[in-house]
Amino acid sequence: MIDLLDRISKAGILLNVVEDKLKIFSELEFIDEDLLIEIKDNKEAIIDYLISNKQTSHSSLIKLEIPTVDMQDSYPISDAQRRLWVLSQFEQESIAYNMPSYLDLKGYDIDIFRRSISSVLLRHEVL
């Protein structure tokens, strides 16, 4: 089963189990016909495997490694970030992209919250 799921993943196909039905997603225009037949032939086994491993999607089996970059004074920005910066220059005092709000953390495990934030910071060095 792992071999089949790996081949599905490498083919750029995402599998989801929604209401006990297997859903197939792909950004590719065409899916290899032989692989599609194999998915259909093993449909129940795939659903059982994903559900028994408490996974509703094959994407949760994939662990992507994001390469770290060397520490720098600044980092390149995306086109979307550049557009936001340009728009912000038109109105110096604009708060259009601020989301002022707060969350009361009373009753939550603050240690788990700290560890969560730390793991985000470790994974995204730009922060």
Side-chain angles (χ1 to χ4, degrees):
M1 183 56 58
I2 297 293
D3 178 56
L4 175 58
L5 292 174
D6 283 341
R7 286 187 287 126
I8 291 168
S9 176
K10 287 177 183 168
I13 299 169
L14 174 67
L15 301 177
N16 280 339
V17 178
V18 179
E19 297 176 0
D20 294 330
K21 294 182 181 178
L22 188 64
K23 304 290 183 182
I24 301 174
F25 301 94
S26 177
E27 292 183 1
L28 303 174
E29 193 170 328
F30 299 102
I31 297 176
D32 177 55
E33 188 65 33
D34 292 334
L35 185 56
L36 193 55
I37 290 169
E38 193 170 359
I39 291 170
K40 289 178 181 178
D41 290 344
N42 293 287
K43 178 178 160 182
E44 293 303 318
I46 293 170
I47 292 171
D48 291 342
Y49 180 84
L50 292 175
I51 290 174
S52 69
N53 286 291
K54 296 184 172 64
Q55 298 170 341
T56 56
S57 118
H58 176 53
S59 64
S60 56
L61 293 174
I62 303 168
K63 294 192 178 5
L64 298 176
E65 286 294 322
I66 299 175
T68 58
V69 296
D70 295 329
M71 292 297 289
Q72 303 173 30
D73 290 333
S74 63
Y75 297 88
I77 61 173
S78 68
D79 290 337
Q81 291 168 319
R82 185 172 287 109
R83 280 190 298 275
L84 285 175
W85 180 82
V86 168
L87 289 172
S88 74
Q89 300 308 297
F90 291 125
E91 296 180 39
Q92 289 293 335
E93 302 299 318
S94 173
I95 60 167
Y97 294 100
N98 291 344
M99 295 174 27
S101 64
Y102 72 94
L103 174 65
D104 187 358
L105 296 176
K106 290 179 185 166
Y108 290 92
D109 188 333
I110 298 300
D111 186 51
I112 291 174
F113 180 74
R114 280 190 187 113
R115 285 187 285 156
S116 300
I117 296 298
S118 293
S119 68
V120 169
L121 294 175
L122 287 173
R123 187 161 175 95
H124 303 282
E125 59 273 344
V126 71
L127 299 175

